[in-house]
Amino acid sequence: MPPKFDPNEIKIVYMRCTGGEVGATSSLAPKIGPLGLSPKKVGDDIAKATGDWKGLRITVKLTIQNRQAAIEVVPSASALIIKALKEPPRDRKKVKNIKHSGSVPFDDIVNIARVMRPRSIARELSGTIKEILGTAQSVGCTIDGRPPHDVIDDINSGKVECPSE
């Protein structure tokens, strides 16, 4: 016999899913079935909570207490950058290997760095900005029409001023 399930205990489950879509309940079931939740209902709740991240792969944090699931979106740096590009949502089943060739203003990069600050390893905000710029480089977009690495070099040399917080 497994130990008795404590209803007041808080369980946290992280999972990756595509925003705005009801994921396969087969992937949800083994994670939340033993906690006494219906995978279909939780799948619908996740789709509702991730509506404004349509078509992007994002991490979702499920906080489960008293057989109620609270859903919180934990966006990654790349998801925030792709959202800042303001591209139209795409059908992931039809469009493959998309190139994100747009341009993001530097102010948006600073705002993304502020959102990502608690999960960053850097000591200062300028380090977090450089982390976001590195992600922008791997996504393939430009910053105000310039390659992200040029902006990183300008931050290192002191040409571009970064806000302290």
Side-chain angles (χ1 to χ4, degrees):
M1 270 300 278
K4 187 79 179 85
F5 180 64
D6 177 23
N8 294 327
E9 187 183 7
I10 297 175
K11 288 255 194 241
I12 295 176
V13 179
Y14 287 97
M15 57 180 305
R16 299 264 299 166
C17 63
T18 307
E21 292 181 21
V22 180
T25 50
S26 58
S27 64
L28 271 172
K31 293 189 178 99
I32 63 172
L35 303 174
L37 287 155
S38 152
K40 182 159 179 24
K41 187 170 156 286
V42 174
D44 292 341
D45 291 348
I46 289 174
K48 206 176 296 158
T50 59
D52 48 345
W53 298 89
K54 224 169 189 51
L56 294 177
R57 295 276 292 162
I58 49 168
T59 309
V60 175
K61 176 182 174 185
L62 299 172
T63 310
I64 298 161
Q65 185 178 21
N66 292 340
R67 293 182 60 182
Q68 292 301 116
I71 294 159
E72 188 183 332
V73 177
V74 186
S76 65
S78 56
L80 287 165
I81 289 170
I82 293 169
K83 193 175 179 188
L85 283 168
K86 295 180 178 68
E87 292 176 343
R90 63 188 178 92
D91 186 3
R92 69 190 175 103
K93 290 183 177 72
K94 293 183 183 130
V95 187
K96 294 278 190 262
N97 301 333
I98 191 165
K99 290 270 183 282
H100 303 286
S101 56
S103 183
V104 179
F106 186 69
D107 298 340
D108 284 6
I109 295 292
V110 174
N111 291 339
I112 291 170
R114 287 200 176 106
V115 170
M116 295 296 288
R117 186 77 187 105
R119 297 191 308 177
S120 168
I121 314 166
R123 276 181 296 193
E124 278 106 27
L125 185 67
S126 62
T128 311
I129 291 172
K130 287 184 219 168
E131 285 178 9
I132 302 300
L133 286 168
T135 309
Q137 184 173 354
S138 61
V139 164
C141 61
T142 56
I143 311 302
D144 294 324
R146 298 174 57 213
H149 212 278
D150 293 359
V151 182
I152 292 176
D153 292 339
D154 286 354
I155 290 173
N156 289 340
S157 67
K159 285 183 189 166
V160 173
E161 200 62 43
C162 290
S164 57
E165 273 310 309

